[in-house]
Amino acid sequence: MWLSGIAMLVAGALFVIPGAEVHAEVATGEGGTGAAAKAVASAGATTPFVTVEAESGKLGGGAEVRSVKPGDPAPTAASLETEASGYAFVELSGTGGSVTIPNNTGKNANTLVVRASIPDAPEGGGITASLNLYVNGTFRQAITLSSQQAWNYRDATTNPDDPNAGGAPYHFYNEFPVWVTGAPIAPGSTIMLKKDTANTAAVYDIDSIDLENVGAALAQPANSLSVVSYGADPNFSRDSTVAIQDTVNAARQQGKSVWIPRGKYLTNSLVSKPLDFTGVKVQGAGMWYTTLYRKVPLPANSWRSQILVGSDTTVTDLQIDTNAIWRGVGGTGGSDYGINASGAGGWQVDRIWTRHIDANWLSGTGGTIQNSRTADTYGDGFNINNGNTKNPDKLGLDITVQNNFARGTGDDSFAVYSDSGASGTNGQLIGAKVLNNTAIAPWWANGLRIAGGRNIELRNNLVNSVSSNSALDIGVFGDTGHPLESATVSGNVLLGGGGWNSVRHGVRISSPTSTSLYPDAYTNVTLTDNILRGALRAGLYIDRTRVTAALKNNTIDGPATRGIWITSGVTGTGSFTDNQVRNLRPGQVATQNDSASTFKITGSEPPA
């Protein structure tokens, strides 16, 4: 049973920004009419799990909620609060501290995903500690948590894992998938996470819990070759890289598909190139059952551990995980792309789960990735691009990213990126579609980003709680980035944004700089029927020089400062029709145009 993405979020109280005055009609269904109600009803991914925010649970034993909300001092550094979904979490700091949530999903839960943070080791490298799980007040099992793949330090002088090298800490959380021991957790049961004497971390910071009833593992399809038959080891005791590639090569020659049975497969070989699935269908037993785990010896400069997906490739029903500890594609931290897709002939990725990767890097022509999830990445969650260089297999034409869930990404959760290359000869990215996706709590960069392109569509996505940047950033990327010729942004629900990385806002619209290959280009974008709620600074911010923006039927609700702010030096036009700015704080204005002589607003400005 697949649950509505918006129902999931209401159940998990993700619409509540702690202390805000502006969320009641969305969380309860009261007063949501017109464009706002339509956006809420359709935004976000449909997922097989339900997320419950820890701060919505019952606290015990001295547990407390920590949070940040619009109107608080704007963040100037990353914190546990800014990186938490909903900008809030529960802290268990003393023995006996607990948080209890009900299983209100209406179905059994045989798995959980606990998103949590425990402290780093004093010299870096992380620690491991257990946390006890109770069902209906009875101890069920100990959950193992770790900070080994969290706690990076921005601008550290030695490496990003060194807490004593002058860097600023960020990337605090990790996700921990758990198979429930014993009987599934029945509807109406309570789930308690409790710090007992045996749970030795100094503090446990609990952000959220996913509840899911995972079905049986899939069976081997007809006309397929099993990687186990070619020597792959599902028991994670020896390397399976060569065996998996041999299976793919044989399937390609025989016109068959590849089957990866239930198991965890170690890929730690320093062979000359990554796994290449081009031209075949590769299927696992399900993302909870089949895992390809990269544990390449570090530093891994001689080998890139990504999985190549080329023309006429299909990949489904598996998980990709790694032991990476910081960003740097193919570098000393072990991070590398998850799916690296290209090809003029199209490709399909469905029902995969990527964890601790750099990014899912998506190019080519006519590719689609859907019904998938990514978490704890060191780069973008899903990046649609035109390959950075001129290549007929990397044109970036008509790529679709739909119904995916991203949480805790180390760059933009969902990005569209058009680059002309150093010589300006790479063609424009065209026709990218980012539809009905959910982006939760990226710890670096933005929830959604459009960086150049033509005929770009961002529709019916949900963003909640961006730590460093904006919920949505619209413009270009760097001096070689193509301008944004045309984009439609419609039906999205954008919660929070305006983080600590310089001066950020809920939504930002900008244009090429004077040093760009396209210094005179305008950014052209239409925003309709979006909800911008609870920004930690301004709701919508327009800066730089050349912008043409059409805004219709958007709702900006409860920003910390101005509703819409056009900074000085902007030229262009803004067509504003039937927008609303609501729940402004004292002294703030609905629209502040500091470029009134050069940026002309037509139509009716939003009422306060």
Side-chain angles (χ1 to χ4, degrees):
M1 178 178 177
W2 285 68
L3 300 176
S4 163
I6 209 71
M8 172 196 73
L9 291 163
V10 170
L14 281 176
F15 279 103
V16 177
I17 296 194
E21 305 167 351
V22 298
H23 57 267
E25 77 282 10
V26 178
T28 65
E30 299 173 1
T33 59
K38 180 180 178 182
V40 168
S42 58
T46 299
T47 69
F49 56 87
V50 172
T51 297
V52 181
E53 289 296 296
E55 62 271 16
S56 71
K58 179 180 178 181
L59 307 184
E64 62 179 357
V65 173
R66 288 173 50 184
S67 66
V68 63
K69 60 186 182 296
D72 287 346
T76 58
S79 67
L80 286 155
E81 290 87 348
T82 65
E83 290 189 14
S85 55
Y87 294 139
F89 65 92
V90 171
E91 185 161 270
L92 312 179
S93 57
T95 301
S98 67
V99 56
T100 301
I101 65 168
N103 177 5
N104 287 336
T105 67
K107 60 179 183 177
N108 290 331
N110 60 4
T111 67
L112 306 173
V113 176
V114 178
R115 186 171 194 253
S117 175
I118 60 176
D120 196 5
E123 301 301 318
I127 64 172
T128 298
S130 64
L131 182 64
N132 285 346
L133 168 67
Y134 292 75
V135 177
N136 293 329
T138 300
F139 175 79
R140 179 66 67 89
Q141 67 196 90
I143 298 171
T144 299
L145 309 183
S146 172
S147 55
Q148 292 175 349
Q149 291 180 284
W151 288 91
N152 290 162
Y153 299 87
R154 183 169 171 78
D155 298 324
T157 57
T158 54
N159 66 68
D161 200 37
D162 186 350
N164 303 307
Y170 64 167
H171 186 205
F172 303 113
Y173 291 92
N174 212 327
E175 297 191 5
F176 303 95
V178 177
W179 281 97
V180 175
T181 299
I185 301 171
S189 299
T190 59
I191 301 164
M192 180 171 66
L193 296 177
K194 184 180 179 184
K195 177 175 164 50
D196 289 324
T197 303
N199 308 136
T200 57
V203 62
Y204 295 81
D205 295 314
I206 313 301
D207 181 33
S208 62
I209 304 173
D210 299 342
L211 288 75
E212 182 175 357
N213 192 43
V214 176
L218 299 175
Q220 180 173 355
N223 201 36
S224 64
L225 302 179
S226 171
V227 298
V228 174
S229 298
Y230 282 74
D233 176 18
N235 298 313
F236 201 61
S237 61
R238 52 186 169 81
D239 178 65
S240 295
T241 308
V242 174
I244 293 171
Q245 190 63 61
D246 285 348
T247 315
V248 172
N249 296 343
R252 190 184 296 119
Q253 293 174 353
Q254 298 176 35
K256 296 183 178 182
S257 66
V258 173
W259 167 244
I260 309 180
R262 179 175 184 169
K264 186 176 183 179
Y265 297 84
L266 176 64
T267 58
N268 70 340
S269 171
L270 290 173
V271 294
S272 59
K273 62 181 182 179
L275 288 171
D276 187 348
F277 291 173
T278 297
V280 300
K281 179 178 181 180
V282 178
Q283 181 180 339
M287 63 176 68
W288 278 89
Y289 292 106
T290 296
T291 299
L292 302 182
Y293 190 91
R294 307 170 184 164
K295 195 175 182 181
V296 181
L298 300 179
N301 296 307
S302 63
W303 189 69
R304 298 167 69 86
S305 57
Q306 60 197 263
I307 291 176
L308 301 181
V309 171
S311 294
D312 303 315
T313 308
T314 300
V315 180
T316 70
D317 301 296
L318 55 83
Q319 181 180 151
I320 301 167
D321 198 2
T322 83
N323 67 333
I325 53 178
W326 68 73
R327 189 172 191 178
V329 173
T332 56
S335 174
D336 204 338
Y337 299 140
I339 295 295
N340 186 350
S342 61
W347 48 265
Q348 179 92 9
V349 177
D350 200 355
R351 299 184 303 276
I352 70 163
W353 189 358
T354 54
R355 306 176 60 224
H356 307 114
I357 63 167
D358 186 88
N360 290 300
W361 191 251
L362 312 170
S363 191
T365 300
T368 297
I369 185 168
Q370 61 187 6
N371 306 321
S372 296
R373 57 185 97 166
T374 194
D376 301 325
T377 68
Y378 298 96
D380 300 311
F382 301 87
N383 183 302
I384 302 173
N385 63 84
N386 60 346
N388 302 116
T389 186
K390 197 169 184 178
N391 185 321
D393 280 326
K394 299 180 179 180
L395 297 179
L397 303 179
D398 301 318
I399 306 298
T400 299
V401 175
Q402 63 183 7
N403 201 57
N404 302 292
F405 182 92
R407 184 166 51 198
T409 59
D411 211 316
D412 305 315
S413 298
F414 297 88
V416 177
Y417 168 39
S418 182
D419 187 24
S420 67
S423 61
T425 60
N426 199 17
Q428 178 72 288
L429 182 147
I430 303 172
K433 295 179 174 63
V434 181
L435 312 174
N436 290 96
N437 302 286
T438 296
I440 305 294
W443 53 271
W444 174 247
N446 309 282
L448 303 172
R449 185 169 190 181
I450 306 176
R454 181 190 309 152
N455 296 338
I456 310 304
E457 295 183 34
L458 263 67
R459 298 185 186 272
N460 303 327
N461 302 286
L462 173 69
V463 177
N464 186 285
S465 311
V466 175
S467 178
S468 67
N469 287 21
S470 303
L472 167 62
D473 188 276
I474 302 169
V476 298
F477 186 90
D479 287 349
T480 62
H482 274 295
L484 181 58
E485 297 180 38
S486 54
T488 300
V489 178
S490 181
N492 303 282
V493 175
L494 308 170
L495 307 178
W500 53 266
N501 181 31
S502 185
V503 179
R504 305 289 176 162
H505 301 274
V507 173
R508 180 195 182 203
I509 304 175
S510 63
S511 62
T513 66
S514 60
T515 58
S516 166
L517 294 178
Y518 309 93
D520 299 323
Y522 276 73
T523 289
N524 301 281
V525 62
T526 298
L527 292 90
T528 63
D529 301 320
N530 302 286
I531 295 174
L532 288 60
R533 167 160 293 138
L536 302 180
R537 291 188 176 87
L540 171 64
Y541 179 75
I542 301 176
D543 71 334
R544 296 201 178 154
T545 53
R546 294 171 173 82
V547 172
T548 302
L551 275 64
K552 183 177 181 180
N553 291 335
N554 300 286
T555 300
I556 301 174
D557 202 345
T561 62
R562 310 152 185 84
I564 300 172
W565 182 15
I566 300 97
T567 191
S568 60
V570 180
T571 61
T573 58
S575 173
F576 292 2
T577 306
D578 297 328
N579 303 288
Q580 293 187 40
V581 177
R582 307 188 304 185
N583 295 300
L584 286 169
R585 284 166 173 75
Q588 300 299 333
V589 296
T591 303
Q592 179 176 322
N593 188 355
D594 293 338
S595 298
S597 62
T598 56
F599 185 84
K600 301 298 184 180
I601 297 175
T602 61
S604 57
E605 293 193 27

